[in-house]
Amino acid sequence: MVSCDRILVEGKTDEEILKRLGYAMPIQPLGGKGNVLKKFLDDINNDMKRGPLNVGNVCYLVDGDDEGYGNIYDQVVSKLRISTRREPPYIKFCFNGKSCRILIVVGDKVSDYKGCIESMLLEQLKLDENGDVLVTQFVEYKATQGKMDLCGKSKLSLYLKVILKADDIQAIYLNRNFVEELFRQFPQVFPSFK
């Protein structure tokens, strides 16, 4: 386990989920995995040139997607041209014992951290058999219409399950309160993610 003084994430949904899980430190969405990885690499390069400006740990949270920890680790080490110890799900660079930059790859531990926060949540959420079949068939249908990676399938499945269990579907759509509804519908799931 690592401690983070600040967390940089891919998007607003990640930010909202972490806030709901009780993370009180500053959380900043950067608009996609590529932006988080770029910021991580830039910050490490800057720290190596001039030393860290601030004391403390900055965490960068990315989905493992179809790549998983191993591939992301290899990309980071290749771009930085330095290596660090493999500590799945962390890729950690520390400076003077005062400041660490920690990339955290989110996904399923059994499959080298492939997946995303939504796929982890999805494992915990169950509908009745008919609902699960309906969601699976819809996601498979959408996957045949275009490229849909592992996380895309998980996100769509999670959204559909929350919508199917919601009392007021229009409120979710109109108010964009998806995360709010997710936590209301499935409060028993989230204590296990702290």
Side-chain angles (χ1 to χ4, degrees), residues 85-97:
R85 216 171 65 209
R86 286 182 181 255
E87 299 179 62
Y90 311 113
I91 301 172
K92 185 167 32 171
F93 293 89
C94 294
F95 302 90
N96 302 327

Side-chain angles (χ1 to χ4, degrees), residues 137-150:
Q137 288 176 341
F138 183 78
V139 170
E140 287 174 6
Y141 166 74
K142 289 297 285 181
T144 63
Q145 293 186 329
K147 185 178 189 279
M148 187 177 285
D149 64 10
L150 176 66

Side-chain angles (χ1 to χ4, degrees), residues 33 62-69 72 105-107 113-116:
K33 180 178 183 175
V62 296
D63 293 335
D65 293 321
D66 291 330
E67 300 165 284
Y69 176 86
I72 294 171
V105 180
V106 176
Y113 295 93
K114 291 181 180 176
C116 51

Side-chain angles (χ1 to χ4, degrees), residues 64-171:
D65 293 321
D66 291 330
E67 300 165 284
Y69 176 86
N71 288 328
I72 294 171
Y73 175 89
D74 291 344
Q75 289 172 30
V76 166
V77 167
S78 169
K79 288 182 180 175
L80 290 172
R81 296 189 185 123
I82 58 172
S83 118
T84 186
R85 216 171 65 209
R86 286 182 181 255
E87 299 179 62
Y90 311 113
I91 301 172
K92 185 167 32 171
F93 293 89
C94 294
F95 302 90
N96 302 327
K98 298 177 185 175
S99 175
C100 291
R101 305 288 184 180
I102 306 161
L103 182 68
I104 304 171
V105 180
V106 176
D108 180 18
K109 181 179 182 177
V110 175
S111 62
D112 189 37
Y113 295 93
K114 291 181 180 176
C116 51
I117 198 165
E118 288 87 354
S119 52
M120 294 169 65
L121 296 173
L122 184 61
E123 290 175 12
Q124 305 293 321
L125 306 178
K126 303 293 180 209
L127 297 173
D128 62 33
E129 186 176 335
N130 291 335
D132 281 332
V133 168
L134 176 68
V135 168
T136 300
Q137 288 176 341
F138 183 78
V139 170
E140 287 174 6
Y141 166 74
K142 289 297 285 181
T144 63
Q145 293 186 329
K147 185 178 189 279
M148 187 177 285
D149 64 10
L150 176 66
C151 283
K153 290 177 183 177
S154 293
K155 288 174 184 181
L156 181 56
S157 296
L158 182 67
Y159 298 159
L160 289 171
K161 284 186 175 189
V162 169
I163 289 168
L164 287 172
K165 291 202 56 110
D167 296 330
D168 186 0
I169 294 170
Q170 287 182 337

